[in-house]
Amino acid sequence: MENVIVERVADFLKLYPPFNELSKNELYFVAEQVRVHYIPKRDFVFKIGDSAHNEFYVVQQGAVGLSSQHANTMQWIDICDEGDVLGLRPFFAEQTYAMQAIAKEECVLYGIPIEAFKKILFENKAVQTFLLESFASNTRNPKAADAKGKLLSTNYASTENETTELDFFQQAFYTNNPICLMANATVQKAALLMNEHNISSLLIEENQLPVGIITDKDIRKWVATGEMQIADKVHEIMSQPVYCVSSEISVAEAQTLLLQQKIGHLCVTQDGTNQSKIIGILSEHDVVTAQANNPVALLKQIQRVHKTSSLIRIRESLSRLLEAYLDMALPMPHIMKVSNAITQNLMHRIIEISENQLGKSPVNFTWLGIGSQGRGEQILLTDQDHALVFEDVPADQYKATQTYFLQLATKVSEVLHQLGYVYCPAEMMASNPKYCLSLTQWKTQFSKWIDHASSKSIMMCSIFFDFTKVYGNENLTTQLRLHIFKKVNGNQMFFAYLGEDALKNPPPLGFFRQFLIENDGKHKDEFDIKARAIQPLVDAARILVLAEAIEGKNNTVERFEQLAKLEPQNKEMYLACIKSFHTLSKFRAVEGFKQNTSGRYLNLSKLSKNDKMKLKRAFKPVQEIQSLLKNRFQLTHFL
């Protein structure tokens, strides 16, 4: 190999772990050993059961998909991009591959002879640690600055409910063989058992199946207050049903479930349901111990708050927590779930406090989060976007009723503003009389937007169609959603306008694969990642689920997952859209925290070459989904 080629190989390898831990001499030694392989699209790098190759691989160009023996429909365990390492198994385990690696597109791989690399492996402690951690933790890059990736999912199986994202978190440790009690035992017996074993909870079981849980808090609440007697049965004070999980649950999954359900314990059963044998109990304390940064603590603080100043500190703590999660390379799905759960609870508490201060509402109402909050995708501090729906009232009571809710919304908006959520420049807030309406008026408003489609009305639909209940009456939310689906059903003209709006931003790359940047204004020469890359995916997912009449799916990722189930022929594209959405969202979040902005505009000159390549790779699904929209909704004549 000529020196100039060796130098090029060395320059590439030194950008990625573990090669960035090599000395200059070690790096050049490896580069001299490299064999370059061109792999055509859909060709195998190796198959399940193949004898181990005498080299492992680094992706220099392209992408390699990893799948299990169950992946006969190409359901990828993971995708390896530039700089990723694969084929490490021969270093540490049996000499046959336990998975298959297939070129998702034309690839150039660097093959590094295992025997030659072993010389470095046993002399360079950092490299040895990296490879051992990678194999032991089952990730292709335990030091990654983004999603770590799976080398092999030990419990992987292709099922109908399979999620597209992998479990990147450590398995949660739970208490085996927990102390249980029958439902007809006395409260006194429960208290004595807790004291004897120095525990704070007991699972209540029948025939080894969980039927409830009792905690020391329950005993204090019912017995210490005199409402119940120690001779009463535990089934009278136990909490039910019990939330059950399987033994494979990760710390992150357990944390999210505790957060969403506002509970302190999870029951571990053989199959994760309440219809199988109890094998353990997982407490909030277990999660706290496993992960120091614990959003459950923030949730508890929210529940105790009575002052705005305390809410500000909690919102600041959430920002620090999310930024730490990004630094820790936790996957975007988990970061978004934690952010959404805490933000929703924070807003719920603000509305609750404001209503208490103002006095009980005259009729039922629901506070709607719209836009990114409505989709559960908000991470950064962005503009306020919300609306309010109240129950229908007689005409002579309407003005007084609306006045109350406008006062409530104003109080809430003021607190949100203090927390850092600035007022919406377009005043799309519940404090605006246009967006604080009765249920019937909201139905009338949506009907006008849908029946008289125009550029302005479609823009309003794009914002207000993504709504979720933050506080109040669920029935009002349901009625409004059913009305919308009824109005759009079969309305081809409406979908044509909605599709045109979804295509208003062209693909993010120009003819020569150059980034399309802003030409003038405050953000001249910067890249608008929201409008040019993220929003097209959001808009496409929305119009497609509306056209398929898929209800109850507001989140962009959940929408694409549902579409992937309904359209197997487009499954790979929809899954690629999910991956791109997470990649782009992470770029925006990192930029936002770094610059203390909304993260919308990227300064491309400050991105590394590798980051630019990742961005460009994330743009391909944007182009593909926009092409699908053009064909499906016959939009060529609109453009």
Side-chain angles (χ1 to χ4, degrees):
M1 184 180 291
E2 297 179 6
N3 288 339
V4 64
I5 298 178
V6 172
E7 288 178 4
R8 288 176 182 172
V9 173
D11 286 342
F12 176 84
L13 292 177
K14 70 182 181 182
L15 298 175
Y16 305 99
F19 310 104
N20 57 350
E21 301 285 356
L22 300 180
S23 67
K24 185 175 181 180
N25 289 337
E26 289 173 330
L27 187 63
Y28 271 73
F29 170 77
V30 172
E32 287 173 346
Q33 312 300 316
V34 162
R35 290 191 282 263
V36 180
H37 301 276
Y38 168 75
I39 312 294
K41 184 176 181 179
R42 297 191 182 90
D43 271 18
F44 285 90
V45 180
F46 48 78
K47 298 179 182 179
I48 297 167
D50 279 357
S51 297
H53 297 180
N54 59 7
E55 54 189 5
F56 68 101
Y57 303 96
V58 181
V59 181
Q60 197 274 335
Q61 290 182 30
V64 177
L66 306 179
S67 63
S68 81
Q69 59 188 347
H70 303 286
N72 51 11
T73 56
M74 293 304 176
Q75 298 180 16
W76 306 110
I77 294 174
D78 197 29
I79 308 297
C80 295
D81 291 329
E82 284 90 341
D84 287 334
V85 176
L86 66 147
L88 286 177
R89 190 170 182 82
F91 272 111
F92 305 105
E94 61 192 62
Q95 297 301 301
T96 58
Y97 292 108
M99 64 192 318
Q100 57 191 19
I102 307 168
K104 283 189 89 265
E105 56 192 62
E106 292 182 336
C107 294
V108 174
L109 305 183
Y110 286 162
I112 301 177
I114 289 173
E115 287 303 316
F117 199 76
K118 279 183 178 179
K119 297 177 182 178
I120 293 174
L121 180 66
F122 296 123
E123 295 175 2
N124 189 312
K125 191 70 175 179
V127 173
Q128 185 180 104
T129 300
F130 174 91
L131 295 183
L132 285 170
E133 285 182 359
S134 177
F135 192 79
S137 65
N138 205 24
T139 57
R140 56 174 156 79
N141 188 355
K143 308 295 185 186
D146 51 4
K148 300 179 183 211
K150 286 274 188 176
L151 280 173
L152 178 63
S153 178
T154 53
N155 297 306
Y156 181 82
S158 173
T159 68
E160 283 297 312
N161 297 320
E162 177 181 64
T163 59
T164 58
E165 289 300 315
L166 302 171
D167 176 9
F168 293 95
F169 307 102
Q170 66 192 50
Q171 185 173 324
F173 293 98
Y174 55 88
T175 301
N176 291 302
N177 304 315
I179 305 298
C180 298
L181 201 60
M182 299 292 288
N184 61 358
T186 65
V187 174
Q188 183 181 37
K189 177 68 178 294
L192 291 171
L193 270 176
M194 287 185 193
N195 187 57
E196 178 184 349
H197 295 279
N198 194 27
I199 55 178
S200 61
S201 63
L202 289 170
L203 287 171
I204 310 304
E205 56 94 7
E206 286 184 5
N207 299 320
Q208 297 185 315
L209 303 181
V211 296
I213 186 170
I214 182 173
T215 66
D216 55 2
K217 181 179 177 181
D218 294 322
I219 294 175
R220 291 196 304 271
K221 177 181 177 182
W222 296 105
V223 179
T225 59
E227 293 189 43
M228 303 288 290
Q229 303 300 314
I230 60 174
D232 291 327
K233 307 300 183 183
V234 293
H235 68 77
E236 297 180 75
I237 68 170
M238 71 182 184
S239 297
Q240 56 181 328
V242 187
Y243 287 92
C244 297
V245 296
S246 71
S247 60
E248 284 85 28
I249 190 169
S250 68
V251 170
E253 289 169 332
Q255 184 183 77
T256 301
L257 188 55
L258 291 169
L259 182 67
Q260 291 174 335
Q261 302 300 332
K262 301 180 184 178
I263 54 178
H265 299 81
L266 298 170
C267 177
V268 183
T269 62
Q270 286 182 337
D271 67 3
T273 74
N274 60 5
Q275 297 301 309
S276 63
K277 183 180 177 181
I278 297 169
I279 60 175
I281 188 169
L282 176 61
S283 71
E284 177 186 328
H285 179 266
D286 297 324
V287 174
V288 173
T289 301
Q291 188 166 319
N293 287 319
N294 187 359
V296 177
L298 289 182
L299 181 60
K300 286 192 170 183
Q301 291 176 41
I302 291 170
Q303 294 168 345
R304 294 193 295 264
V305 158
H306 295 283
K307 296 181 180 179
T308 302
S309 57
S310 298
L311 292 171
I312 294 172
R313 288 195 295 271
I314 292 172
R315 175 58 241 192
E316 291 172 346
S317 296
L318 174 59
S319 291
R320 289 193 296 270
L321 175 65
L322 298 176
E323 188 171 10
Y325 277 0
L326 288 168
D327 291 341
M328 292 164 61
L330 297 189
M332 287 306 294
H334 177 61
I335 295 175
M336 285 183 173
K337 284 180 181 178
V338 170
S339 176
N340 181 56
I342 295 178
T343 301
Q344 294 283 79
N345 278 277
L346 189 63
M347 290 195 67
H348 186 282
R349 185 60 179 147
I350 293 170
I351 301 166
E352 190 174 47
I353 292 172
S354 299
E355 185 181 13
N356 290 337
Q357 292 174 347
L358 195 60
K360 185 171 175 57
S361 61
V363 294
N364 288 326
F365 74 99
T366 184
W367 184 285
L368 300 178
I370 59 177
S372 60
Q373 188 194 7
R375 295 189 300 273
E377 298 163 1
Q378 186 179 41
I379 296 177
L380 300 163
L381 285 167
T382 55
D383 297 350
Q384 294 184 40
D385 291 302
H386 41 75
L388 191 147
V389 186
F390 56 87
E391 255 180 350
D392 290 330
V393 295
D396 61 344
Q397 298 176 23
Y398 187 87
K399 185 175 181 180
T401 303
Q402 187 188 45
T403 297
Y404 168 89
F405 287 115
L406 287 172
Q407 292 174 345
L408 174 66
T410 299
K411 290 177 72 69
V412 173
S413 291
E414 288 173 352
V415 176
L416 289 172
H417 186 73
Q418 293 177 50
L419 265 61
Y421 298 97
V422 299
Y423 296 121
C424 175
E427 296 187 19
M428 292 182 184
M429 300 180 292
S431 52
N432 185 336
K434 293 181 180 179
Y435 310 118
C436 179
L437 303 171
S438 68
L439 176 62
T440 295
Q441 286 198 323
W442 267 115
K443 288 181 178 180
T444 300
Q445 180 62 79
F446 274 105
S447 294
K448 288 179 180 178
W449 287 339
I450 295 166
D451 292 338
H452 305 286
S454 65
S455 297
K456 183 178 180 181
S457 69
I458 290 300
M459 179 190 71
M460 302 302 286
C461 288
S462 297
I463 296 169
F464 282 87
F465 273 18
D466 296 338
F467 63 78
T468 189
K469 188 202 84 170
V470 175
Y471 181 93
N473 189 287
E474 181 68 43
N475 184 51
L476 294 172
T477 313
T478 301
Q479 288 188 58
L480 186 58
R481 183 175 288 112
L482 291 174
H483 174 76
I484 292 170
F485 273 96
K486 183 178 179 181
K487 291 296 297 182
V488 303
N489 185 34
N491 191 331
Q492 296 305 313
M493 182 58 70
F494 171 76
F495 282 116
Y497 272 103
L498 200 61
E500 179 189 16
D501 184 70
L503 298 176
K504 63 182 179 290
N505 288 305
L509 295 178
F511 184 77
F512 295 104
R513 287 184 56 78
Q514 297 299 312
F515 289 92
L516 295 181
I517 57 177
E518 304 307 296
N519 294 319
D520 51 31
K522 179 181 178 182
H523 298 286
K524 186 176 184 297
D525 297 330
E526 294 180 334
F527 177 69
D528 187 344
I529 192 171
K530 176 186 175 183
R532 294 196 180 278
I534 296 175
Q535 198 63 48
L537 292 173
V538 171
D539 292 340
R542 180 191 305 111
I543 183 176
L544 290 169
V545 297
L546 283 172
E548 294 287 351
I550 300 172
E551 298 182 28
K553 298 294 181 184
N554 273 19
N555 181 270
T556 299
V557 170
E558 290 180 354
R559 285 169 168 172
F560 279 128
E561 287 175 342
Q562 193 66 30
L563 289 165
K565 294 177 183 179
L566 291 176
E567 302 175 23
Q569 71 278 16
N570 294 318
K571 180 174 183 177
E572 188 169 341
M573 180 184 63
Y574 290 140
L575 298 187
C577 286
I578 292 172
K579 183 179 180 183
S580 290
F581 179 76
H582 286 142
T583 299
L584 296 166
S585 296
K586 180 159 188 176
F587 268 101
R588 182 181 179 184
V590 170
E591 178 71 12
F593 282 119
K594 185 186 300 181
Q595 305 297 336
N596 194 27
T597 65
S598 68
R600 176 169 180 168
Y601 296 93
L602 302 183
N603 186 336
L604 297 176
S605 65
K606 295 184 178 180
L607 293 182
S608 67
K609 181 179 179 181
N610 187 46
D611 280 341
K612 289 178 183 178
M613 291 174 64
K614 286 182 179 179
L615 268 180
K616 288 182 179 181
R617 186 172 299 284
F619 295 159
K620 184 179 179 182
V622 177
Q623 296 171 316
E624 291 177 344
I625 200 70
Q626 288 190 332
S627 177
L628 182 144
L629 293 182
K630 290 177 186 178
N631 294 329
R632 181 163 301 184
F633 298 103
Q634 300 178 352
L635 299 175
T636 305
H637 62 287
F638 272 85
L639 304 175

